[in-house]
Amino acid sequence: MEIPLLLVSTLLLVTHPCDGGQFWHMSDLHLDYDYTSGGNMSNWCHTAASTASPSINSDKVGPAGNYHCDSPADLVESALLAMVRFAPKPDFIVWTGDSAPHWRDPSPSEDYILNVTKHVFTRLDKLFPNIPIVPALGNHDASPPDQFPQYDPSNKTMPDYYLRLWQNGAFGDHIDPEAMGTFQKCGFYLKVLSPTNSSKMLKFIVLNTNLYYHDNSSTGTDPCGQLDWLNTTLHTADPEKEKVFIVAHVSPGSYERATGLSNFNSPNDTATAIHKRYVQIVSDPTNAVKISAHLYGHLHTDTFRVLLDRATRREAVGVAFMAGSVTPVVWGKTGVVGVNPTIRLMEFNDDSATVMDYKEYSLDIIKAAKNDIKTDEDDTTETSEAPKSRRKNDKFLEASKEAIGDTNAGKSKRAAPEENPPAVSADNTTSTVVPIQPTARVTTAAPDSSPGQFTTIIAVPVTPSVPEAEVVVLGGNVVENSTSSSNSSLDENVTNPETTAEENTTARTNISDNVEKSNTSEITTVAMVNTQKEDYPTYLSKQWTLLYTATSSFSVPDLSPTSMFSTLKRMVSDGPESEVFVSYYKHNTGGHIVEECNETCWREQLCTISNLVIEELHTCLDSSDKEGFFEVSKSAIIAPSQGNSSNVVTTVRTGSVFGEGNDDPDFKDHGDIDNNHDHDGDGEQDHEHEDHEDSDLDHDHDGDGEDDHNHLDHADHVPVVPEDEEVVTKEKLEESSSNISARAVAIFFGVFAVAIIALIALMGYKKYRDNRYRNQEFLLTDAVFRYDGYSQLDDA
């Protein structure tokens, strides 16, 4: 009876899973206060292009955003309100960085960045009272972008910038004081949470991987000692009591829409070693078993990565989820691609902390733009459901000056998102989801003309008897409502923002001469706009809809490493036309499809998912059919021949920096440091990249017309074997491990077969002995009988 009872109890556990937790994952807000509805998309939608009425298409620079520009303030606010609408009581919120916009000349100042981070923290604290936030720094959370200072152990000096992030940027309000030491050194820290009803503590290892991304300040083989700290923290984690989440902005590996370049590219001389060590640490079986999932941002696309075991590459030991962005802009190989803004609600198991599922919500900004916006002159005939647009961003910035409410201290346990939940207005009150004609807030113009200066946020008093109208004063005059046309081409009119520095600066100037008049006008107007009608961000938050559910889209029971590996295998085996891959590719850009995915695109997407090490990625990209995606792949090794001393065949790819095309301001600054040609280690480039013919790298250093070595030799320093000596081929352990595995399996089955034969022989011998014993016993009995019979005859 014990076995049936055990079977029944097991089935009950399987069919009745334990209740799980929820958390929000949001990333890459890139909030641009200078975004202008009707602005010029070739200048980050900052200045008005014209006064003509635009058509409803992808080029419309509307109040909800544009695919060529960063997030308007109303878009960011609508995302936060939508999060409250779909799941107001999560266990925690993960925010993987990037607050400031991409524009340069000048780039966003430090004060700008600190203002944005503090504002977002303040809004989250008000909308989600008493909900823990796990923030990570993004590469655009520094000024200039990507440049994060390092702790100097020689004089034990803490960089000032991390202290300002802690104090003025409100990071210190959401990170435990015990973690202050590592955060103020280099921006990484440890945070431990104990969610309600969870049997395990959740340990968040929050890394500053921006140190490995175009950071000119990074030096050495382990900047800030972060890798050593990561390895030690993983080793000390107790898998019986806690589960780990790796949280960071920049992920290892490459970008699936511009493949071939490593996301980890600094320091220039040690980036490759750092990248390999990072992958090795998190793939180490003793560490990987403790990690529930990796959570990254930065790419702006919705995708995932499968971490395979380094020995055979046949088993998944980890999974990483990249959250899509709130900003609509993203670049590919040929320029702007564009994504619909997304936010992600993830679910985890209480007992194992395994990620079970997630729901992806998106805002189709083209559909949002179809609620055309009227000007003030059209107020009497307006029929649109949307509020009237403003030429400049209106942000609920005075919320950052309000005290964080302590109400609703209790936290209910993870109610599932409602199918049609009520909307949450900007003042944190709910309203029914009924289309009405909301009225816009009144907003002033962009920040002060001083580059990088962000003016004080002024709260405008309102009448207590009517709902509060949020008014923003960023230093400038009131800008009238209007819309204008924009260019019709997606890519032709997107110029390098570096060439429009004058326009970029002009967009933030000429606005500070009428501050007093502006304030007076706003206070006068408040009484007119304070009605029961909703503001634009509240209206926009109701346009966010469920894009997909992960387990349904991927056809898996959960999102464990094994399940996600099975999804990858299915997309590989079924090809680019498979239902699962078509769904994945559609969701990669939040439902905004700009091009079909051919076989090359399919290979680039899937190779990037499973190949985090760049050499392995190149092998996969250069393979054909179903080869190279996983399992061990061998480098093509050829013996030296006459006049040819090359012994490794490979293809080194070049292209745009991941996710940021030629029109991105970061590209010029970083494109020239992706390939190192300092062969003698003197700190100077021995030759130019242009010296390479086509895409092959030239390694003829002695001028004899023959390659002296191959590109892979830079990393591995494999010596060239002279022709008169015996050829010895060396392979890395992971490249030859498949043969080792095959031999191990063969040996196992051989031993097993020998054991079976021996057992059969033993059983046969035993049967032979038994039969012989019985025969001997019979003969003995018969002899006794005969003797006894003869004895009786003698007695007679």
Side-chain angles (χ1 to χ4, degrees):
M1 287 296 292
E2 291 182 0
I3 295 178
L5 287 175
L6 180 62
L7 180 62
V8 170
S9 62
T10 303
L11 290 175
L12 288 174
L13 287 174
V14 172
T15 56
H16 294 83
C18 299
D19 186 22
Q22 294 179 332
F23 66 92
W24 281 108
H25 183 191
M26 66 175 192
S27 191
D28 294 86
L29 305 181
H30 291 287
L31 172 56
D32 188 354
Y33 290 125
D34 290 351
Y35 181 98
T36 305
S37 181
N40 184 354
M41 67 180 182
S42 66
N43 188 32
W44 298 105
C45 301
H46 283 179
T47 57
S50 68
T51 57
S53 298
S55 59
I56 303 299
N57 52 43
S58 61
D59 289 335
K60 179 179 176 65
V61 183
N66 181 273
Y67 294 124
H68 295 79
C69 305
D70 277 318
S71 300
D74 285 346
L75 172 59
V76 173
E77 180 70 13
S78 74
L80 303 182
L81 295 177
M83 289 166 60
V84 179
R85 175 189 169 203
F86 291 115
K89 297 292 182 181
D91 288 276
F92 53 90
I93 299 171
V94 174
W95 176 19
T96 46
D98 264 11
S99 307
H102 291 88
W103 41 260
R104 291 175 179 261
D105 294 330
S107 59
S109 68
E110 182 180 300
D111 289 338
Y112 186 110
I113 296 170
L114 298 178
N115 182 284
V116 174
T117 59
K118 184 173 183 178
H119 169 72
V120 174
F121 277 129
T122 303
R123 291 298 295 147
L124 288 173
D125 288 337
K126 183 173 183 179
L127 296 171
F128 298 92
N130 303 304
I131 301 298
I133 302 172
V134 184
L137 292 172
N139 62 300
H140 284 275
D141 293 330
S143 182
D146 312 331
Q147 307 309 308
F148 285 85
Q150 288 192 62
Y151 167 74
D152 187 357
S154 62
N155 56 20
K156 299 183 180 179
T157 302
M158 297 286 190
D160 293 337
Y161 185 57
Y162 299 116
L163 180 60
R164 288 193 288 271
L165 283 168
W166 184 273
Q167 295 177 343
N168 303 335
F171 278 84
D173 297 336
H174 302 86
I175 301 176
D176 298 333
E178 295 80 6
M180 181 178 180
T182 58
F183 182 85
Q184 293 192 12
K185 282 183 179 180
C186 277
F188 58 90
Y189 66 96
L190 181 67
K191 188 181 185 74
V192 180
L193 297 178
S194 298
T196 306
N197 296 340
S198 178
S199 61
K200 292 183 182 291
M201 294 186 296
L202 302 183
K203 178 177 285 189
F204 297 88
I205 299 178
V206 184
L207 302 172
N208 183 8
T209 51
N210 309 292
L211 298 171
Y212 316 135
Y213 181 74
H214 299 308
D215 191 344
N216 298 328
S217 302
S218 292
T219 58
T221 58
D222 185 11
C224 293
Q226 183 172 232
L227 293 181
D228 285 340
W229 178 83
L230 167 64
N231 197 29
T232 301
T233 306
L234 282 172
H235 276 303
T236 57
D238 185 354
E240 298 298 325
K241 299 179 180 179
E242 53 195 12
K243 203 72 173 178
V244 174
F245 283 88
I246 303 291
V247 179
H249 183 67
V250 180
S251 65
S254 188
Y255 174 47
E256 71 276 5
R257 288 184 172 266
T259 54
L261 297 177
S262 173
N263 295 341
F264 287 10
N265 46 51
S266 64
N268 194 34
D269 56 341
T270 59
T272 300
I274 288 174
H275 187 216
K276 289 183 177 180
R277 188 184 176 203
Y278 185 98
V279 174
Q280 184 273 328
I281 290 174
V282 297
S283 301
D284 186 316
T286 59
N287 291 334
V289 72
K290 304 174 183 179
I291 302 173
S292 179
H294 299 242
L295 304 174
Y296 299 106
H298 188 54
L299 300 181
H300 294 198
T301 51
D302 176 354
T303 184
F304 67 96
R305 301 288 182 265
V306 175
L307 287 78
L308 303 176
D309 71 287
R310 301 303 304 151
T312 67
R313 287 175 47 80
R314 295 177 180 176
E315 180 182 354
V317 297
V319 62
F321 298 101
M322 286 71 172
S325 62
V326 172
T327 184
V329 67
V330 72
W331 293 265
K333 290 185 292 187
T334 59
V336 170
V337 175
V339 296
N340 282 326
T342 55
I343 51 178
R344 178 175 292 173
L345 181 63
M346 307 195 76
E347 301 174 3
F348 63 93
N349 181 276
D350 273 333
D351 292 331
S352 64
T354 300
V355 177
M356 302 302 295
D357 204 354
Y358 67 73
K359 291 179 172 61
E360 193 82 0
Y361 297 92
S362 70
L363 174 68
D364 190 325
I365 60 175
I366 294 180
K367 289 183 179 179
K370 288 183 178 180
N371 290 309
D372 206 1
I373 307 303
K374 307 297 181 180
T375 61
D376 289 340
E377 289 79 5
D378 298 327
D379 282 349
T380 56
T381 59
E382 181 175 354
T383 59
S384 170
E385 296 178 0
K388 295 194 297 295
S389 172
R390 284 81 58 220
R391 289 288 301 278
K392 283 290 179 183
N393 269 298
D394 46 353
K395 188 68 178 176
F396 294 177
L397 294 180
E398 71 274 14
S400 64
K401 295 295 184 181
E402 298 176 3
I404 299 174
D406 293 327
T407 59
N408 302 324
K411 183 172 67 172
S412 62
K413 178 64 181 173
R414 302 104 166 204
E418 300 178 37
E419 290 295 329
N420 191 19
V424 179
S425 63
D427 59 357
N428 205 20
T429 58
T430 58
S431 60
T432 55
V433 186
V434 179
I436 57 177
Q437 296 181 8
T439 305
R441 290 173 285 124
V442 178
T443 311
T444 63
D448 187 76
S449 58
S450 302
Q453 181 178 354
F454 198 85
T455 56
T456 304
I457 303 166
I458 304 175
V460 180
V462 295
T463 306
S465 60
V466 294
E468 179 180 356
E470 310 241 13
V471 182
V472 179
V473 178
L474 301 180
N477 56 341
V478 177
V479 181
E480 71 280 6
N481 293 323
S482 66
T483 56
S484 62
S485 64
S486 55
N487 299 324
S488 59
S489 173
L490 275 173
D491 295 320
E492 292 179 355
N493 296 312
V494 181
T495 60
N496 191 328
E498 291 192 353
T499 65
T500 60
E502 183 176 352
E503 290 184 65
N504 208 357
T505 303
T506 304
R508 297 186 293 279
T509 59
N510 304 323
I511 59 174
S512 59
D513 53 345
N514 293 317
V515 176
E516 293 183 3
K517 181 179 178 181
S518 170
N519 294 342
T520 304
S521 300
E522 287 185 316
I523 296 174
T524 303
T525 312
V526 167
M528 294 185 293
V529 300
N530 277 334
T531 68
Q532 296 296 332
K533 298 177 181 179
E534 64 191 353
D535 53 43
Y536 187 74
T538 302
Y539 160 81
L540 196 61
S541 69
K542 295 187 293 185
Q543 309 307 308
W544 288 75
T545 58
L546 177 64
L547 180 63
Y548 73 99
T549 301
T551 52
S552 175
S553 179
F554 295 137
S555 299
V556 290
D558 54 46
L559 304 185
S560 64
T562 301
S563 294
M564 297 310 294
F565 191 25
S566 70
T567 295
L568 173 64
K569 290 179 178 178
R570 190 179 307 114
M571 291 193 291
V572 169
S573 62
D574 295 348
E577 303 299 327
S578 67
E579 181 180 353
V580 175
F581 178 77
V582 170
S583 176
Y584 159 80
Y585 186 72
K586 174 185 176 182
H587 301 150
N588 183 245
T589 50
H592 174 59
I593 302 297
V594 295
E595 58 186 1
E596 296 296 326
C597 190
N598 56 24
E599 187 169 347
T600 300
C601 162
W602 165 80
R603 175 166 290 278
E604 290 174 343
Q605 289 277 340
L606 300 189
C607 283
T608 310
I609 289 177
S610 59
N611 293 275
L612 273 64
V613 176
I614 300 303
E615 291 86 350
E616 295 170 352
L617 174 61
H618 289 162
T619 300
C620 181
L621 294 173
D622 294 333
S623 300
S624 58
D625 196 31
K626 306 297 192 295
E627 300 297 324
F629 295 101
F630 36 81
E631 299 188 1
V632 174
S633 57
K634 299 180 182 178
S635 299
I637 308 294
I638 61 175
S641 59
Q642 292 292 335
N644 183 8
S645 60
S646 177
N647 67 335
V648 183
V649 177
T650 187
T651 300
V652 178
R653 297 172 177 265
T654 59
S656 301
V657 176
F658 99 95
E660 303 182 350
N662 296 335
D663 55 337
D664 175 59
D666 294 344
F667 179 76
K668 280 192 174 181
D669 294 342
H670 305 312
D672 57 351
I673 67 172
D674 290 331
N675 295 292
N676 181 23
H677 299 103
D678 177 17
H679 303 294
D680 54 13
D682 60 356
E684 299 180 358
Q685 301 292 307
D686 298 327
H687 55 86
E688 297 297 328
H689 183 75
E690 288 75 11
D691 296 340
H692 302 310
E693 295 181 1
D694 299 328
S695 62
D696 295 328
L697 296 181
D698 179 19
H699 299 100
D700 176 19
H701 303 299
D702 55 11
D704 60 359
E706 299 178 0
D707 285 348
D708 300 321
H709 60 85
N710 185 270
H711 180 76
L712 287 185
D713 298 341
H714 291 312
D716 299 331
H717 301 289
V718 179
V720 177
V721 180
E723 294 182 356
D724 57 347
E725 294 184 12
E726 182 181 359
V727 177
V728 180
T729 300
K730 295 184 178 181
E731 294 183 2
K732 296 180 181 179
L733 177 61
E734 59 265 28
E735 293 175 342
S736 59
S737 56
S738 61
N739 293 333
I740 296 174
S741 257
R743 288 196 297 270
V745 171
I747 292 172
F748 170 78
F749 280 109
V751 172
F752 182 75
V754 171
I756 293 295
I757 293 173
L759 181 62
I760 293 174
L762 182 64
M763 293 176 63
Y765 176 71
K766 184 176 183 301
K767 185 175 182 181
Y768 165 75
R769 288 187 59 187
D770 291 344
N771 290 336
R772 183 180 178 184
Y773 175 78
R774 283 195 295 270
N775 290 337
Q776 291 177 346
E777 185 180 25
F778 173 78
L779 292 175
L780 179 62
T781 304
D782 183 64
V784 170
F785 174 77
R786 290 180 180 180
Y787 173 79
D788 186 65
Y790 293 149
S791 299
Q792 292 177 1
L793 289 175
D794 292 340
D795 292 340

